[in-house]
Coordinates of all heavy atoms in Angstrom, one line a residue:
Chain B
V13 N 10.6 16.2 35.7 CA 9.9 15.2 34.8 C 8.8 14.6 35.6 O 9.1 14.1 36.7 CB 10.9 14.1 34.4 CG1 10.1 13.1 33.6 CG2 12.0 14.7 33.5
E14 N 7.6 14.7 35.2 CA 6.4 14.1 35.9 C 6.5 14.5 37.4 O 6.5 13.6 38.2 CB 6.4 12.6 35.7 CG 6.0 12.3 34.2 CD 6.3 10.8 33.9 OE1 6.7 10.1 34.8 OE2 6.1 10.4 32.7
R16 N 8.7 15.2 39.4 CA 9.9 15.0 40.1 C 11.1 15.9 39.6 O 11.3 15.9 38.4 CB 10.3 13.5 40.0 CG 11.5 13.1 40.9 CD 11.5 11.6 41.1 NE 12.2 10.9 40.0 CZ 13.5 10.6 40.0 NH1 14.3 11.0 41.0 NH2 14.0 10.0 39.0
I18 N 14.6 16.8 38.6 CA 15.8 16.0 38.2 C 17.0 16.9 38.2 O 18.1 16.5 38.7 CB 15.6 15.4 36.7 CG1 14.3 14.7 36.6 CG2 16.8 14.5 36.4 CD1 14.2 13.3 37.2
P37 N 27.8 9.7 37.5 CA 27.2 8.4 37.5 C 25.9 8.3 36.8 O 25.3 9.3 36.5 CB 27.0 8.1 39.0 CG 27.0 9.5 39.7 CD 27.8 10.4 38.8
N38 N 25.4 7.1 36.5 CA 24.1 6.9 35.9 C 23.0 7.6 36.8 O 23.1 7.4 38.0 CB 23.8 5.4 35.8 CG 24.4 4.9 34.5 OD1 24.6 5.6 33.5 ND2 24.8 3.6 34.6
G39 N 22.1 8.2 36.1 CA 21.0 8.8 36.9 C 21.3 10.2 37.4 O 20.5 10.8 38.1
S40 N 22.5 10.7 37.1 CA 22.8 12.0 37.7 C 22.2 13.2 36.9 O 22.2 14.3 37.3 CB 24.3 12.2 37.8 OG 24.9 12.1 36.5
G41 N 21.6 12.9 35.7 CA 20.9 13.9 35.0 C 21.6 14.4 33.7 O 21.2 15.4 33.1
K42 N 22.6 13.7 33.3 CA 23.3 14.1 32.1 C 22.5 14.1 30.8 O 22.4 15.1 30.1 CB 24.5 13.2 31.9 CG 25.5 13.1 33.1 CD 26.7 12.3 32.8 CE 26.4 10.8 32.5 NZ 25.8 10.0 33.6
S43 N 21.7 13.0 30.6 CA 20.9 13.0 29.4 C 19.8 14.0 29.5 O 19.4 14.6 28.5 CB 20.3 11.6 29.2 OG 21.3 10.7 28.8
T44 N 19.2 14.2 30.7 CA 18.2 15.2 30.9 C 18.7 16.6 30.5 O 18.0 17.3 29.7 CB 17.7 15.2 32.4 OG1 17.3 13.9 32.8 CG2 16.6 16.2 32.6
Ligands
LIG1 N1 11.2 10.4 31.1 C1 11.5 10.2 32.4 N2 10.6 9.9 33.3 C2 10.9 9.7 34.6 N3 12.1 9.8 35.1 C3 13.1 10.1 34.2 C4 12.9 10.3 32.9 N4 14.0 10.6 32.3 C5 15.0 10.6 33.3 N5 14.4 10.3 34.4 C6 15.1 10.2 35.7 O1 15.9 11.3 35.9 C7 17.2 10.9 36.4 C8 18.3 11.4 35.5 O2 18.3 10.6 34.4 P1 19.2 10.8 33.1 O3 19.2 12.2 32.8 O4 18.9 9.8 32.1 O5 20.6 10.5 33.8 P2 22.0 10.1 33.1 O6 22.0 10.4 31.7 O7 23.0 10.9 33.9 O8 22.2 8.6 33.4 C9 17.1 9.4 36.7 O9 16.7 9.2 38.0 C10 16.0 9.0 35.8 O10 15.4 7.9 36.3

Side-chain angles (χ1 to χ4, degrees):
Chain B
V13 176
E14 289 163 4
R16 187 160 83 88
I18 309 283
N38 277 330
S40 57
K42 304 184 297 294
S43 290
T44 301

